[in-house]
Amino acid sequence: MTKTSKDANSPASDPFVFEQPCPIRDVLDRIGDQWSLLVLESLAPARRRFSELQRAIGDISKQMLSRTLKQLEQDGFITRTVYPEVPPRVEYELTELGRSFEQPMRELVQWADSNHRQIVEARARYRATR
Amino acid sequence: MTKTSKDANSPASDPFVFEQPCPIRDVLDRIGDQWSLLVLESLAPARRRFSELQRAIGDISKQMLSRTLKQLEQDGFITRTVYPEVPPRVEYELTELGRSFEQPMRELVQWADSNHRQIVEARARYRATR
DNA sequence: AAATATTGGTCTAATTAGTAGACCGTGGGC
DNA sequence: GCCCACGGTCTACTAATTAGACCAATATTT
């Protein structure tokens, strides 16, 4: 979803078609990737350093963690603080914007938690009928 | 995030590390991809057929739309109804589970809408200081 | 009668994104 | 002197995504 142009065959008149640049698309492109939500959730309870985040998420590669953090910093969700020590220490922390995102994120997580069973059941049902 | 194993160096004792199979991870893996949220949002106001969804989202490939819909159906978010006409008509509709997801999704979208400006500004600020 | 368009997909080849793991610099402990 | 810790980056390999051809069956156009 990197393309912002390509409004071919999208009559702006049709209110059903997403506008193209669309704030929702723009934001969802960022937080709707494989890792951003997980990182934000890890950062919600407390500031963390790079290696803590990596351990917490478990199966993210350094490169993707690095890239995700950079994007989140860019978009103003988190701050990055470097402590000039050796070995280096870098801490990531939610900004006010990032903290304001906690509420909708929590709802999402809560929904996931409440409905996980149903989803698992749906999957089993699907496998049975395929 | 296809891997569910690989709990190497993740002491189950550490409450900060995500459990591994984790309902939140499991659900986020599904709806936290590039397209699922967009599809669900498109389906929120009304049932849609395949081509309508493709036009609405605009820059999704047929293959990814097809795959996304299949996953959402598998997980019980939507139903798929085939009408034996020619040319074929296939309609997708939210299930009750899918509709129950509207609430947290709406909050997310609302947040995105409200905070989009701030994010754009943060990006500009970042570019200025890089 | 013969093309042509329509719809919901699938298949293949080419591009792009993501992964694992080596590597780097610097200072502290052994 | 030697190796470890930390936060990355770089490279080579692998996995995911895309664009576009193709399909079946009928209705419409020429």
Side-chain angles (χ1 to χ4, degrees):
Chain A
M1 220 185 298
T2 317
K3 296 164 190 168
T4 328
S5 53
K6 182 169 190 177
D7 48 341
N9 84 338
S10 73
S13 51
D14 188 345
F16 169 51
V17 174
F18 288 122
E19 282 175 55
Q20 206 86 346
C22 157
I24 296 155
R25 289 293 297 266
D26 195 29
V27 175
L28 251 42
D29 278 3
R30 194 46 53 93
I31 57 119
D33 66 31
Q34 216 62 192
W35 304 114
S36 294
L37 276 176
L38 255 8
V39 169
L40 289 175
E41 217 206 326
S42 297
L43 246 25
R47 49 166 47 194
R48 304 282 180 196
R49 47 197 298 187
F50 189 89
S51 53
E52 285 178 313
L53 287 169
Q54 197 177 12
R55 282 191 324 111
I57 297 175
D59 57 353
I60 189 173
S61 67
K62 282 178 155 200
Q63 196 171 65
M64 282 313 289
L65 179 55
S66 172
R67 196 177 301 173
T68 302
L69 288 167
K70 206 172 289 178
Q71 289 178 337
L72 289 174
E73 189 198 355
Q74 244 173 246
D75 283 8
F77 284 83
I78 61 176
T79 56
R80 176 177 183 272
T81 313
V82 183
Y83 297 85
E85 306 170 356
V86 141
R89 181 162 59 100
V90 179
E91 291 195 336
Y92 295 91
E93 187 175 13
L94 293 184
T95 60
E96 199 174 331
L97 180 69
R99 266 180 275 117
S100 84
F101 184 66
E102 277 188 72
Q103 183 58 27
M105 184 169 60
R106 205 179 348 258
E107 295 235 13
L108 207 75
V109 167
Q110 220 163 70
W111 186 93
D113 213 23
S114 310
N115 295 90
H116 182 243
R117 172 179 298 276
Q118 262 192 269
I119 290 172
V120 170
E121 286 170 4
R123 278 181 201 159
R125 229 176 298 127
Y126 186 89
R127 268 194 301 276
T129 49
R130 77 189 151 91
Chain B
M1 222 186 297
T2 316
K3 295 165 193 168
T4 328
S5 54
K6 181 167 188 177
D7 47 343
N9 86 337
S10 73
S13 51
D14 188 344
F16 169 51
V17 174
F18 288 121
E19 280 174 58
Q20 207 86 345
C22 156
I24 295 156
R25 289 293 296 264
D26 196 28
V27 175
L28 251 42
D29 278 2
R30 194 48 50 94
I31 56 118
D33 65 30
Q34 215 62 194
W35 304 113
S36 295
L37 277 175
L38 254 7
V39 169
L40 290 175
E41 218 207 325
S42 297
L43 247 26
R47 50 165 47 196
R48 304 283 180 196
R49 48 196 300 188
F50 190 89
S51 52
E52 286 179 313
L53 287 169
Q54 199 178 11
R55 282 194 320 112
I57 296 174
D59 57 352
I60 188 173
S61 68
K62 284 178 154 199
Q63 197 170 67
M64 282 313 288
L65 179 55
S66 172
R67 195 177 300 171
T68 303
L69 287 167
K70 204 173 288 174
Q71 289 178 337
L72 290 174
E73 189 198 355
Q74 244 173 244
D75 284 7
F77 284 84
I78 62 176
T79 57
R80 177 179 185 271
T81 313
V82 182
Y83 297 86
E85 306 169 358
V86 141
R89 181 159 61 99
V90 181
E91 292 196 336
Y92 294 91
E93 188 176 12
L94 292 184
T95 60
E96 200 175 330
L97 181 68
R99 265 179 277 117
S100 84
F101 183 66
E102 278 188 69
Q103 183 57 26
M105 185 170 59
R106 204 178 350 255
E107 296 236 13
L108 208 74
V109 167
Q110 221 162 69
W111 186 93
D113 214 23
S114 310
N115 295 90
H116 182 243
R117 172 179 298 277
Q118 260 192 272
I119 290 172
V120 171
E121 286 170 3
R123 279 181 200 157
R125 229 175 298 127
Y126 186 88
R127 268 194 301 279
T129 50
R130 77 188 154 89

Short mmCIF file of all heavy atoms in Angstrom, two decimals, chain B residues 65-95:
data_model
loop_
_atom_site.label_atom_id
_atom_site.label_comp_id
_atom_site.label_asym_id
_atom_site.label_seq_id
_atom_site.Cartn_x
_atom_site.Cartn_y
_atom_site.Cartn_z
N LEU B 65 -6.94 -9.50 -2.57
CA LEU B 65 -8.31 -9.36 -2.14
C LEU B 65 -8.92 -10.73 -1.91
O LEU B 65 -9.54 -10.99 -0.87
CB LEU B 65 -9.13 -8.58 -3.16
CG LEU B 65 -10.61 -8.38 -2.81
CD1 LEU B 65 -10.78 -7.74 -1.46
CD2 LEU B 65 -11.32 -7.56 -3.90
N SER B 66 -8.71 -11.60 -2.86
CA SER B 66 -9.22 -12.97 -2.76
C SER B 66 -8.70 -13.66 -1.50
O SER B 66 -9.45 -14.28 -0.75
CB SER B 66 -8.79 -13.73 -4.01
OG SER B 66 -9.10 -15.10 -3.88
N ARG B 67 -7.41 -13.52 -1.29
CA ARG B 67 -6.79 -14.18 -0.14
C ARG B 67 -7.30 -13.58 1.17
O ARG B 67 -7.61 -14.31 2.13
CB ARG B 67 -5.27 -14.01 -0.24
CG ARG B 67 -4.49 -14.93 0.67
CD ARG B 67 -3.00 -14.75 0.47
NE ARG B 67 -2.61 -15.05 -0.92
CZ ARG B 67 -1.40 -14.80 -1.42
NH1 ARG B 67 -0.48 -14.25 -0.67
NH2 ARG B 67 -1.12 -15.10 -2.67
N THR B 68 -7.39 -12.27 1.21
CA THR B 68 -7.86 -11.59 2.41
C THR B 68 -9.29 -12.01 2.74
O THR B 68 -9.62 -12.32 3.88
CB THR B 68 -7.79 -10.07 2.22
OG1 THR B 68 -6.45 -9.71 1.91
CG2 THR B 68 -8.23 -9.35 3.48
N LEU B 69 -10.14 -12.04 1.72
CA LEU B 69 -11.54 -12.43 1.93
C LEU B 69 -11.62 -13.86 2.44
O LEU B 69 -12.42 -14.18 3.33
CB LEU B 69 -12.31 -12.27 0.62
CG LEU B 69 -12.60 -10.83 0.18
CD1 LEU B 69 -13.09 -10.78 -1.25
CD2 LEU B 69 -13.61 -10.18 1.12
N LYS B 70 -10.79 -14.72 1.87
CA LYS B 70 -10.82 -16.12 2.29
C LYS B 70 -10.43 -16.24 3.77
O LYS B 70 -11.06 -16.98 4.53
CB LYS B 70 -9.88 -16.95 1.40
CG LYS B 70 -10.23 -18.40 1.34
CD LYS B 70 -9.39 -19.14 0.31
CE LYS B 70 -9.78 -18.78 -1.11
NZ LYS B 70 -8.88 -19.40 -2.13
N GLN B 71 -9.41 -15.49 4.15
CA GLN B 71 -8.97 -15.53 5.55
C GLN B 71 -10.05 -15.01 6.48
O GLN B 71 -10.32 -15.58 7.53
CB GLN B 71 -7.70 -14.70 5.72
CG GLN B 71 -6.49 -15.34 5.08
CD GLN B 71 -5.26 -14.47 5.22
OE1 GLN B 71 -5.36 -13.26 5.40
NE2 GLN B 71 -4.10 -15.07 5.13
N LEU B 72 -10.68 -13.90 6.07
CA LEU B 72 -11.72 -13.32 6.91
C LEU B 72 -12.91 -14.26 7.02
O LEU B 72 -13.55 -14.35 8.07
CB LEU B 72 -12.15 -11.96 6.35
CG LEU B 72 -11.12 -10.84 6.47
CD1 LEU B 72 -11.59 -9.59 5.75
CD2 LEU B 72 -10.81 -10.54 7.93
N GLU B 73 -13.18 -14.97 5.94
CA GLU B 73 -14.27 -15.94 5.98
C GLU B 73 -13.90 -17.09 6.93
O GLU B 73 -14.70 -17.48 7.78
CB GLU B 73 -14.54 -16.48 4.58
CG GLU B 73 -15.79 -17.33 4.50
CD GLU B 73 -15.80 -18.20 3.26
OE1 GLU B 73 -14.88 -18.07 2.42
OE2 GLU B 73 -16.72 -19.03 3.13
N GLN B 74 -12.69 -17.56 6.77
CA GLN B 74 -12.18 -18.64 7.62
C GLN B 74 -12.31 -18.29 9.09
O GLN B 74 -12.72 -19.13 9.90
CB GLN B 74 -10.69 -18.80 7.34
CG GLN B 74 -10.31 -20.11 6.77
CD GLN B 74 -8.83 -20.08 6.36
OE1 GLN B 74 -8.52 -20.20 5.19
NE2 GLN B 74 -7.96 -19.92 7.32
N ASP B 75 -11.97 -17.06 9.41
CA ASP B 75 -11.95 -16.64 10.81
C ASP B 75 -13.33 -16.20 11.30
O ASP B 75 -13.46 -15.76 12.44
CB ASP B 75 -10.94 -15.51 11.01
CG ASP B 75 -9.53 -16.05 11.03
OD1 ASP B 75 -9.35 -17.24 10.75
OD2 ASP B 75 -8.60 -15.28 11.34
N GLY B 76 -14.33 -16.28 10.42
CA GLY B 76 -15.68 -16.02 10.86
C GLY B 76 -16.09 -14.56 10.88
O GLY B 76 -17.12 -14.23 11.47
N PHE B 77 -15.32 -13.69 10.22
CA PHE B 77 -15.68 -12.28 10.17
C PHE B 77 -16.74 -12.01 9.11
O PHE B 77 -17.53 -11.09 9.26
CB PHE B 77 -14.45 -11.42 9.86
CG PHE B 77 -13.51 -11.23 10.99
CD1 PHE B 77 -12.53 -12.17 11.28
CD2 PHE B 77 -13.58 -10.10 11.79
CE1 PHE B 77 -11.65 -11.99 12.33
CE2 PHE B 77 -12.69 -9.92 12.83
CZ PHE B 77 -11.74 -10.87 13.11
N ILE B 78 -16.69 -12.77 8.04
CA ILE B 78 -17.60 -12.51 6.92
C ILE B 78 -18.16 -13.81 6.36
O ILE B 78 -17.62 -14.90 6.61
CB ILE B 78 -16.89 -11.75 5.78
CG1 ILE B 78 -15.74 -12.59 5.19
CG2 ILE B 78 -16.37 -10.41 6.25
CD1 ILE B 78 -15.07 -11.95 4.01
N THR B 79 -19.25 -13.69 5.62
CA THR B 79 -19.78 -14.83 4.87
C THR B 79 -19.63 -14.55 3.38
O THR B 79 -19.57 -13.39 2.96
CB THR B 79 -21.27 -15.03 5.15
OG1 THR B 79 -21.97 -13.82 4.82
CG2 THR B 79 -21.51 -15.38 6.60
N ARG B 80 -19.61 -15.63 2.63
CA ARG B 80 -19.44 -15.54 1.18
C ARG B 80 -20.64 -16.24 0.55
O ARG B 80 -20.90 -17.42 0.84
CB ARG B 80 -18.15 -16.23 0.79
CG ARG B 80 -17.87 -16.30 -0.69
CD ARG B 80 -16.53 -16.99 -0.92
NE ARG B 80 -16.15 -16.99 -2.31
CZ ARG B 80 -16.49 -17.95 -3.16
NH1 ARG B 80 -17.23 -18.95 -2.77
NH2 ARG B 80 -16.09 -17.89 -4.42
N THR B 81 -21.36 -15.53 -0.28
CA THR B 81 -22.55 -16.11 -0.91
C THR B 81 -22.40 -16.05 -2.42
O THR B 81 -22.20 -14.97 -2.99
CB THR B 81 -23.81 -15.33 -0.51
OG1 THR B 81 -23.80 -15.13 0.90
CG2 THR B 81 -25.05 -16.11 -0.92
N VAL B 82 -22.50 -17.21 -3.05
CA VAL B 82 -22.38 -17.28 -4.50
C VAL B 82 -23.77 -17.39 -5.11
O VAL B 82 -24.54 -18.25 -4.72
CB VAL B 82 -21.55 -18.52 -4.92
CG1 VAL B 82 -21.40 -18.56 -6.43
CG2 VAL B 82 -20.22 -18.52 -4.22
N TYR B 83 -24.08 -16.53 -6.06
CA TYR B 83 -25.34 -16.62 -6.79
C TYR B 83 -25.05 -17.25 -8.14
O TYR B 83 -24.24 -16.73 -8.89
CB TYR B 83 -25.95 -15.23 -6.95
CG TYR B 83 -26.30 -14.61 -5.63
CD1 TYR B 83 -25.35 -13.90 -4.90
CD2 TYR B 83 -27.56 -14.77 -5.08
CE1 TYR B 83 -25.66 -13.34 -3.67
CE2 TYR B 83 -27.89 -14.21 -3.85
CZ TYR B 83 -26.92 -13.50 -3.15
OH TYR B 83 -27.22 -12.97 -1.92
N PRO B 84 -25.73 -18.35 -8.43
CA PRO B 84 -25.39 -19.10 -9.65
C PRO B 84 -25.96 -18.41 -10.89
O PRO B 84 -26.86 -18.92 -11.54
CB PRO B 84 -26.03 -20.46 -9.41
CG PRO B 84 -27.14 -20.21 -8.46
CD PRO B 84 -26.81 -18.98 -7.68
N GLU B 85 -25.43 -17.24 -11.16
CA GLU B 85 -25.85 -16.50 -12.34
C GLU B 85 -24.67 -16.44 -13.29
O GLU B 85 -23.58 -16.90 -12.97
CB GLU B 85 -26.23 -15.07 -11.94
CG GLU B 85 -27.27 -14.99 -10.85
CD GLU B 85 -27.44 -13.58 -10.30
OE1 GLU B 85 -26.70 -12.68 -10.76
OE2 GLU B 85 -28.31 -13.38 -9.43
N VAL B 86 -24.94 -15.85 -14.43
CA VAL B 86 -23.85 -15.62 -15.36
C VAL B 86 -24.00 -14.22 -15.92
O VAL B 86 -25.05 -13.88 -16.42
CB VAL B 86 -23.85 -16.68 -16.48
CG1 VAL B 86 -23.48 -16.06 -17.82
CG2 VAL B 86 -22.89 -17.80 -16.15
N PRO B 87 -22.93 -13.40 -15.77
CA PRO B 87 -21.67 -13.69 -15.07
C PRO B 87 -21.89 -13.86 -13.58
O PRO B 87 -22.87 -13.33 -13.06
CB PRO B 87 -20.81 -12.47 -15.38
CG PRO B 87 -21.74 -11.41 -15.81
CD PRO B 87 -22.94 -12.06 -16.37
N PRO B 88 -21.01 -14.59 -12.93
CA PRO B 88 -21.20 -14.93 -11.53
C PRO B 88 -21.31 -13.71 -10.62
O PRO B 88 -20.73 -12.67 -10.89
CB PRO B 88 -19.95 -15.73 -11.18
CG PRO B 88 -18.98 -15.42 -12.23
CD PRO B 88 -19.74 -15.12 -13.46
N ARG B 89 -22.07 -13.89 -9.57
CA ARG B 89 -22.16 -12.83 -8.56
C ARG B 89 -21.82 -13.45 -7.22
O ARG B 89 -22.38 -14.49 -6.86
CB ARG B 89 -23.57 -12.26 -8.57
CG ARG B 89 -23.79 -11.13 -7.57
CD ARG B 89 -25.00 -10.27 -7.95
NE ARG B 89 -26.23 -11.07 -7.96
CZ ARG B 89 -27.12 -11.10 -6.96
NH1 ARG B 89 -26.90 -10.41 -5.86
NH2 ARG B 89 -28.20 -11.84 -7.05
N VAL B 90 -20.92 -12.84 -6.51
CA VAL B 90 -20.51 -13.32 -5.19
C VAL B 90 -20.57 -12.15 -4.24
O VAL B 90 -20.00 -11.09 -4.50
CB VAL B 90 -19.07 -13.88 -5.22
CG1 VAL B 90 -18.67 -14.38 -3.85
CG2 VAL B 90 -18.96 -14.99 -6.25
N GLU B 91 -21.28 -12.35 -3.14
CA GLU B 91 -21.42 -11.24 -2.19
C GLU B 91 -20.81 -11.59 -0.84
O GLU B 91 -20.95 -12.71 -0.35
CB GLU B 91 -22.89 -10.86 -2.03
CG GLU B 91 -23.45 -10.24 -3.30
CD GLU B 91 -24.76 -9.51 -3.06
OE1 GLU B 91 -25.47 -9.85 -2.10
OE2 GLU B 91 -25.07 -8.61 -3.85
N TYR B 92 -20.16 -10.60 -0.27
CA TYR B 92 -19.53 -10.75 1.03
C TYR B 92 -20.26 -9.88 2.03
O TYR B 92 -20.65 -8.76 1.73
CB TYR B 92 -18.07 -10.36 0.95
CG TYR B 92 -17.28 -11.30 0.06
CD1 TYR B 92 -17.13 -11.04 -1.29
CD2 TYR B 92 -16.73 -12.45 0.59
CE1 TYR B 92 -16.42 -11.92 -2.11
CE2 TYR B 92 -16.02 -13.33 -0.22
CZ TYR B 92 -15.87 -13.05 -1.56
OH TYR B 92 -15.17 -13.93 -2.35
N GLU B 93 -20.43 -10.43 3.22
CA GLU B 93 -21.21 -9.71 4.24
C GLU B 93 -20.62 -10.00 5.61
O GLU B 93 -20.16 -11.11 5.89
CB GLU B 93 -22.66 -10.21 4.19
CG GLU B 93 -23.60 -9.41 5.05
CD GLU B 93 -25.04 -9.88 4.88
OE1 GLU B 93 -25.26 -10.96 4.27
OE2 GLU B 93 -25.95 -9.17 5.35
N LEU B 94 -20.66 -9.00 6.49
CA LEU B 94 -20.17 -9.20 7.85
C LEU B 94 -21.05 -10.20 8.59
O LEU B 94 -22.28 -10.16 8.47
CB LEU B 94 -20.15 -7.88 8.61
CG LEU B 94 -19.16 -6.81 8.16
CD1 LEU B 94 -19.23 -5.62 9.10
CD2 LEU B 94 -17.74 -7.36 8.11
N THR B 95 -20.44 -11.06 9.36
CA THR B 95 -21.19 -11.91 10.28
C THR B 95 -21.45 -11.13 11.56
O THR B 95 -21.06 -9.98 11.68
CB THR B 95 -20.37 -13.15 10.66
OG1 THR B 95 -19.17 -12.70 11.29
CG2 THR B 95 -20.03 -13.98 9.43
#
